[in-house]
Each structure stands twice: as C-alpha cells, then as structure tokens.
Amino acid sequence: MEVDGARILVPGATGELGSALARSLHSGGAVLHLAGRDETALRSLQSQLPGVWTSTFDAYALDACAALTRQAAQQMGGLDAVVTCIGVPAFGPADHISDAVAEHLMIVNAQAPIAFLRAALPLIQPGGVLAALTGVVAGNPPAHMADYAAAKAALAAWLEAVGKEQRRRHIALIDLRLPHINTGFANRAIAGRPPQLPPGLPIAAAVEMVMDALVAASTVSGQAS
C-alpha cells in the first residue's frame, strides 16, 4: 500500500492523534474518508484537507458504523485501509467504576472499532491493511485502569485472531500498541482522575510510527500474495 492514491477510512479523525494522522496521510497523497463525532472539527479538517470526505458517527450505533464503512468504500471507489483512532479512558479502582461506565468503555474502545473493521473485511483488497490503536495497556494493564485496559485487550485479541483468519487473503491486521502520547487524552476521562504521568511521545513521532507500520504491513502482505 503506497500511501499515494491509497483509499483510507479513518474513524476517530477528530482527536488530536487522528487529525494529525489524517494530515500526514493527506500530504502523502492518500484518498481519505474521515469520520468522527464532532461535526465542527470535521468541517475544520475538511477545509484544511481539500478533497476528503467526512461523516459523523455515534460509537453506540454499531450498525451505523458498519454502514459508514460501506459508504466510504463506495464513495472512494474501493478501500485499501482502515485505521481506527477511537478511544476514551477512565480511571479508578474497579469497585469505583460503575457498570454503565464499564459498558461505555467496552463499546467505544472495542466494539465500535471492531464494527468498522469487520464491515471492511469483505471490501478490502489483497495487500490491504486494517489497523486500530490499542496502546501498551492492552498487554500490561495498570492498576486503576482495569476496565479501560480490558477493552483495549479485547480489541487486541480480535485483531490477532482475525489476522490469522485473513492471512490467506493477504490482508494485514495491525495492533498499533503505541506508548503514552502527549495528546491530553487522559484528561478527557469519563470517570476518575488520571495518575501523574511522565512526558509522553510527541504526536509527530506517534504519527510517524503509525505511517511506518501501515507501509511495512502492507508491503509484507503484498509480497505474500
């Protein structure tokens, strides 16, 4: 998957990392459909990145997330990659997290990304890439983040299992297990207060890691085909 000309759907494009990634992909010549929950932010991105398509979505509307994927593929004339940048954290001991918050974490951090990626499976061509941001918590869950880490671990497990299923089709699934990034993400928690965190990875460095991972995975997948 050369970025130039690649048709890419980016759910979660209105976040700091998602929007920075969208700018990088656009500058590399990608054909983009950007999806997010903030219509004002999407309009701003669209004004900065000529030629992109945009759509709003509600993470709780899983069928609509799937339908958006199909719509994006139709608009772009196909689909070469999906990169989901969706997520929301929460902090606190497990017995302080309500069932409603736990459900919200699982839907936003696991089920919604999976809905986009599942819908893309029959649409994406050999050599294509399906990727999702999980984070280091997926493999090393810290205290006071049990439900958030569980949701990210569920997404990581899905990516690993479906990656095995898609090998014969030469579709790469990538678990973008990035370290803590300087986005202010922790300060937008839906419950609790974040712990004192060390300085994170600069956004530009995180975007470069994602770009490198997309190109490397598609190259390996394409060579296998």
Side-chain angles (χ1 to χ4, degrees):
M1 186 191 70
E2 291 290 339
V3 170
D4 189 13
R7 300 158 297 184
I8 304 175
L9 169 64
V10 185
T14 54
E16 288 193 54
L17 182 59
S19 61
L21 177 61
R23 292 185 182 95
S24 182
L25 289 168
H26 187 268
S27 68
V31 179
L32 296 176
H33 191 119
L34 307 178
R37 65 184 180 86
D38 187 333
E39 186 172 358
T40 301
L42 279 174
R43 287 177 180 172
S44 176
L45 264 178
Q46 193 171 36
S47 69
Q48 299 168 40
L49 308 176
V52 304
W53 283 276
T54 63
S55 295
T56 56
F57 72 91
D58 177 353
Y60 267 72
L62 300 178
D63 287 345
C65 292
L68 192 160
T69 303
R70 294 187 288 270
Q71 175 190 344
Q74 184 177 27
Q75 287 176 327
M76 294 187 292
L79 194 60
D80 298 302
V82 179
V83 186
T84 68
C85 303
I86 308 167
V88 64
F91 303 95
D95 58 350
H96 289 193
I97 299 296
S98 70
D99 288 336
V101 167
E103 179 186 42
H104 185 78
L105 292 171
M106 188 61 70
I107 290 172
V108 174
N109 294 299
Q111 291 180 265
I114 288 171
F116 282 106
L117 298 173
R118 191 194 313 278
L121 285 171
L123 305 173
I124 203 157
Q125 297 300 308
V129 177
L130 300 177
L133 292 172
T134 60
V136 293
V137 298
N140 186 23
H144 293 193
M145 294 181 70
D147 289 278
Y148 173 68
K152 289 296 190 179
L155 176 56
W158 190 89
L159 291 165
E160 182 177 357
V162 178
K164 295 172 183 176
E165 297 172 2
Q166 295 297 314
R167 281 176 184 165
R168 290 187 178 181
R169 291 189 60 220
H170 310 295
I171 306 300
L173 279 90
I174 312 176
D175 177 352
L176 296 168
R177 200 166 292 194
L178 300 181
H180 168 54
I181 306 167
N182 283 333
T183 62
F185 178 70
N187 295 321
R188 295 188 287 275
I190 60 169
R193 293 184 178 180
Q196 188 67 36
L197 297 170
L201 189 70
I203 293 177
V207 168
E208 185 175 356
M209 291 174 66
V210 173
M211 296 287 287
D212 288 346
L214 293 175
V215 174
S218 61
T219 298
V220 171
S221 179
Q223 288 174 346
S225 63

